[in-house]
Amino acid sequence: MVLHVTRAASPQFVQPIFFRLIKVREDWITYHGWIWLHGYQLDARGEAVAQRSIFVQPAGLIVRATPVPVARPARRPTPPRPAARARQGKKSIDRQV
């Protein structure tokens, strides 16, 4: 299950994250209305970038099928630089003798 964790779930998430839930930590003691979740923080492509345990209010979690991918601008291929151009202007040590 993928969750969108925002500030509504906990004040620590000013910057919202996507979180792949692995386990609800029922063995950890919490305050009423809060739970510990164990899983992976996801990047914009939906790939795991960090393993985390987070302390949240379940009422503030948003269930997502998959994270929304971020649109990336198309990359232009850079033209290759000629090797001869890079060598221009360099003097050989043999010529100075």
Side-chain angles (χ1 to χ4, degrees), residues 43-89:
D43 64 8
R45 295 183 313 244
E47 296 179 14
V49 292
Q51 186 175 9
R52 294 183 66 174
S53 290
I54 59 175
F55 189 58
V56 294
Q57 293 179 323
L61 298 172
I62 303 166
V63 178
R64 297 276 186 209
T66 57
V68 179
V70 175
R72 295 183 179 185
R75 294 177 66 181
R76 289 188 201 167
T78 55
R81 297 182 81 180
R85 186 181 234 179
R87 284 186 242 146
Q88 289 178 348

Side-chain angles (χ1 to χ4, degrees), residues 16 32 36 84:
H32 179 72
W36 280 99

Side-chain angles (χ1 to χ4, degrees), residues 1 3 5 8-13 19 21-39 52-63:
M1 174 184 307
L3 304 172
V5 185
S10 176
Q12 67 180 318
F13 296 105
F19 187 79
L21 179 63
I22 302 299
K23 181 178 182 179
V24 177
R25 302 300 309 241
E26 295 176 358
D27 53 333
W28 290 5
I29 298 171
T30 65
Y31 294 103
H32 179 72
W34 291 80
I35 57 172
W36 280 99
L37 302 178
H38 184 73
R52 294 183 66 174
S53 290
I54 59 175
F55 189 58
V56 294
Q57 293 179 323
L61 298 172
I62 303 166
V63 178

